[in-house]
Amino acid sequence: MDVRFVNPFVSAVRNVFHTMLGVEVKIDKPYIKSDNEALADVSGIIGFSGDATGCLVLSFPRKVAERTASKFAGTEITEAHPDFPDALGELANMIAGNAKKDFEGVHISISLPSVVVGENHRISKSNAFPRLVIPCETPLGRFFLEVAMKIEKEVPVGVR
Amino acid sequence: MDVRFVNPFVSAVRNVFHTMLGVEVKIDKPYIKSDNEALADVSGIIGFSGDATGCLVLSFPRKVAERTASKFAGTEITEAHPDFPDALGELANMIAGNAKKDFEGVHISISLPSVVVGENHRISKSNAFPRLVIPCETPLGRFFLEVAMKIEKEVPVGVR
């Protein structure tokens, strides 16, 4: 993955958490995903297509997911709440949408979010398509933003 | 979800399993996903974008996933094998690609597959976007194909 693509996602997770939740995100050093990752309890997944290929995965431990969904909705939302998956899917969608704005001149389609709920699951790394893990530290707890992206056409200088 | 969209996916899962695995798939009656579904151990997820919005989820119990991946690769592949997620992701990708051919005149982009591995996880149903469950019976075991799809432009008569 081209490292120039990291910044739009780092900005996007910060912007969305700041604007929608009033929460500041501290970013730890990104690294390439290996098989020995912490497992997630809740993940929102967005696929990219168009000029770009790849995906974005927003992965939370259950407690952090519940606190995040509650903060987002402005009311207590536990895993059993019917709006729980939609809240986290919408957050993933906003982060992808916000990042997309920084890829000027590149047509990126983002898919509907899929939300996985299940203790200790793993969104498998693909051999063919390495994913970058961006650890995010917040007062609500620690979560991970994972991004894999390949752009099929030449990237314009306009990528900020 | 428009019921006319079901047939391309039913044909696609049959075609791909017949051609790539030499396995016949018997389709049970499709139904709208509720919250009380059997949980999956392995799921391949593909997002749609372009003129269509939605996703395809191929969900297996672990044993059935291992037998399917092994049959697909022509060699024993267990969950611990490094090619296990890519094999199931590729199958999901082929089914989406095969179904896409039947939507003539509709530009559907399909995302890179994401593969979830984790005992008893659930790809949450979305309130906003109902998913159709297509139960598939094979000699390798029973698995589920789930499809949510909305087409943003008028569907041409050409959809078979």
Side-chain angles (χ1 to χ4, degrees), chain A residues 49 86 109 115 117 122 124, chain B residues 49 86 109 115 117 122 124 127:
Chain A
S49 51
D86 279 354
S109 279
V115 178
V117 181
R122 179 162 44 103
S124 258
Chain B
S49 51
D86 279 354
S109 280
V115 178
V117 181
R122 180 160 45 102
S124 257
N127 292 331

Side-chain angles (χ1 to χ4, degrees), chain B residues 98-130:
Chain B
N98 193 283
K100 187 176 135 170
K101 288 194 283 92
D102 284 351
F103 293 85
E104 259 173 61
V106 184
H107 172 73
I108 302 178
S109 280
I110 62 181
S111 75
L112 201 75
S114 296
V115 178
V116 182
V117 181
E119 219 173 303
N120 289 335
H121 66 260
R122 180 160 45 102
I123 314 292
S124 257
K125 77 173 184 68
S126 159
N127 292 331
F129 222 88

Side-chain angles (χ1 to χ4, degrees), chain A residues 97-160:
Chain A
N98 194 283
K100 186 176 135 170
K101 288 194 284 89
D102 284 351
F103 292 85
E104 260 173 59
V106 184
H107 172 73
I108 302 178
S109 279
I110 62 179
S111 76
L112 200 76
S114 295
V115 178
V116 182
V117 181
E119 220 173 301
N120 289 335
H121 66 261
R122 179 162 44 103
I123 314 292
S124 258
K125 76 173 185 67
S126 159
N127 292 330
F129 222 88
R131 275 212 303 279
L132 197 78
V133 183
I134 304 171
C136 299
E137 201 70 67
T138 73
L140 306 170
R142 186 180 173 82
F143 64 91
F144 298 89
L145 177 64
E146 300 181 10
V147 181
M149 190 183 234
K150 203 167 84 187
I151 291 189
E152 308 295 340
K153 66 186 225 182
E154 208 182 314
V155 184
V157 194
V159 169
R160 290 166 290 193

Side-chain angles (χ1 to χ4, degrees), chain B residues 15-54:
Chain B
N15 290 343
V16 169
F17 270 71
H18 176 80
T19 310
M20 303 307 297
L21 288 83
V23 160
E24 303 308 317
V25 179
K26 188 183 156 292
I27 305 290
D28 282 347
K29 199 175 159 50
Y31 55 88
I32 296 292
K33 190 176 176 81
S34 76
D35 263 339
N36 310 310
E37 300 304 316
L39 301 172
D41 300 324
V42 185
S43 298
I45 304 173
I46 303 261
F48 303 125
S49 51
D51 292 339
T53 311

